[in-house]
Amino acid sequence: MYPTSVLPAAASSSARPSSSDSDDLMYKRSLEKCEEGPGATVERVVSEKDPVEEPELAERAPSPTDAPTYRLYKRRWVGLCAIVLLNLVSGMVLVWFGPIANDMVKDFGFSLNDVNWLGNVVNLVYLPSSIILPYLYGRLGTRGTCYIGAALFILSAWIRYLGTIRSLSVNGAYTFIVIGQILGGMSVPIFQIIVPSYSQKWFDLKGRTTATMIMGVANPVGNALGQLIPPLVTDPRQSLLVMAIVFSAAAPAVFLVGNAPPTPPTFAGSQEHPSLSSLARALLGRTPREDYTYMSMRQRVDFAIITVVFGVLVGVINAFTVLTAQHFEPYGYSDTISGLMGAVLLLVGLVAAAITSPLYDRVLTNHLAFSCKVFCPVLAACWLALIWEIRPNNEAVLFVLMAIIGATGLTLLPAVLELAVELTRNPDGSSAILWCSTNLFGLICVLVEDALREGPNANPPLNMHRSAIFQGVLVTAVIVFVYLVEGKQTRRAQDEEMRRALARASRSMDSPDRDATGVEIREVPRESQDPEARPSDDLEPVTEVEKHDHRTVA
């Protein structure tokens, strides 16, 4: 199929030369040759009456410059690095208080449940924010929306730090910290949801998944840093000052993020910005079949399964990172070791994702769903193993399990984000729904696991063994549904089809002996022809109109 803007011009009888009957028949045959596509050859007899150039035909033919062109810009990497930095910092908000939960209880007088809600409130505020963001992207653009995120960065950092004033009551300090967490939580989806959209706008087929990986794993890496940094600061109040400085220093990076390149890199990158409401219509089956964002019933079912499975898997990891210290400290592990275990989970995952994402772009380009089906059982086995392996003096096994969970989980993250866009052709809407799902399930998991914590008279006191059972069973149950996903990559198929069509059109237009329809013309002077060997002698007269796709022969 040719792209609309590079379709060979339709031929009609109005463009026929009028030198002789034989020439008319030869011209008709040349039009029929057009059906063979670019690369056809036509011999046309030229009489003395024929003009050297046919004005009507030349007027009708599209210029090579009319064809859409795709281009990559080096500055795409600058924007990518800025989004990575912003996601690194925003990723710290959720887990900052997890590794130092017990220290927060001692220094501020909060309860463990209060400290847990400093993470829960981030998940809670994420839900409405993620639904509003696609609308903001459409109205303000990528850069304008990022400006809002930068302002929230600075406000949340210093309002949170006000809670460290020692003259404040316990409730007063908690109020300031909670407000800071709410504002910080509103900034998290701004930089997280933008990732697939930025990849589509700035990167081509050979780099799109890699770009999504680099930006997508930045938030989990920020989670890892959020678990490493607080235990290294001796005082919880000082850790909030460090957090404020980091957030303020990262905010100016938004000025490096661009809206969209002047020339798109792919056909998908040239499409108009689809809204969240268009995705809702597609999911309800109310989008016309000819629309770019149309989804078949199979694609709608696939997207629903992916949303639930992705939400549970990432939600369990988020809940685990929030409750890391509470899982391990009852068994004698220090704050530092607990933080390192959470960090290993995420940092090893970063390395694994960096290795596998180029393979998705160049080797496993059409196998995103298949790779999910391969990695998910490994993930389930590790979560089940934690039920028995969280016990005293078992650091080596726990570090190995954390590394495997991180490697498989973060390898799947960019693949699932890209697969969702393949199904919906709506990067902002699909990303918003997926990340909203992860925060919803993360919030549910934190609340359930907190409720399943053993009491002070248990052995060991306040252990979370029942929470580990809940995690393992939940992950194993939802992973079964992955095998129902077909995962047809519609967006990539459209991009590849368009690229091939443009390549064919470009080759035909670049040839000096071909007209704009891609048909080679060989002109043979009439006086040099042998009347007995005229190529038009064996042609059948044309008596009716024949239609072939977009061309008409009269």
Side-chain angles (χ1 to χ4, degrees), residues 312-313 315-324 326-328 345 379-387 390 402 405 441-442 444-446 448-450 452 464-479:
V312 169
L313 295 183
V316 167
I317 291 177
N318 286 346
F320 188 80
T321 54
V322 170
L323 301 172
T324 300
Q326 298 170 56
H327 272 282
F328 294 120
L345 183 152
L379 202 57
C382 291
W383 284 111
L384 287 174
L386 282 177
I387 297 174
I390 298 180
M402 294 296 102
I405 290 173
F441 282 107
I444 292 172
C445 287
V446 170
V448 172
E449 291 180 32
D450 186 53
L452 291 174
M464 301 191 73
H465 180 69
R466 291 189 298 177
S467 300
I469 296 174
F470 169 76
Q471 290 175 166
V473 172
L474 179 62
V475 169
T476 304
V478 298
I479 277 177

Side-chain angles (χ1 to χ4, degrees), residues 411-428:
T411 295
L412 289 173
L413 190 147
V416 174
L417 290 175
E418 283 293 300
L419 182 57
V421 184
E422 294 287 343
L423 295 171
T424 63
R425 277 83 70 201
N426 190 326
D428 288 340

Side-chain angles (χ1 to χ4, degrees), residues 93 121-122 152-153 155-161 174-186 247:
V93 177
V121 73
V122 175
L152 291 172
F153 261 20
L155 285 173
S156 68
W158 294 106
I159 290 176
R160 193 185 293 112
Y161 182 63
Y174 190 74
T175 300
F176 276 115
I177 296 176
V178 167
I179 292 173
Q181 286 294 92
I182 290 173
L183 295 176
M186 293 171 63
F247 272 57

Side-chain angles (χ1 to χ4, degrees), residues 488-504:
K488 184 178 180 181
Q489 296 175 229
T490 308
R491 180 186 61 162
R492 177 173 286 273
Q494 291 173 334
D495 283 342
E496 290 176 346
E497 180 182 359
M498 182 63 70
R499 185 177 61 181
R500 288 192 296 268
L502 289 178
R504 290 195 300 268

Side-chain angles (χ1 to χ4, degrees), residues 196-233:
S197 177
Y198 188 87
S199 298
Q200 178 171 290
K201 289 178 181 177
W202 288 89
F203 289 84
D204 63 0
L205 292 174
K206 294 182 179 179
R208 200 157 58 192
T209 304
T210 300
T212 300
M213 179 279 299
I214 295 172
M215 294 181 288
V217 301
N219 187 274
V221 173
N223 292 164
L225 294 176
Q227 290 189 310
L228 282 173
I229 296 173
L232 299 178
V233 182

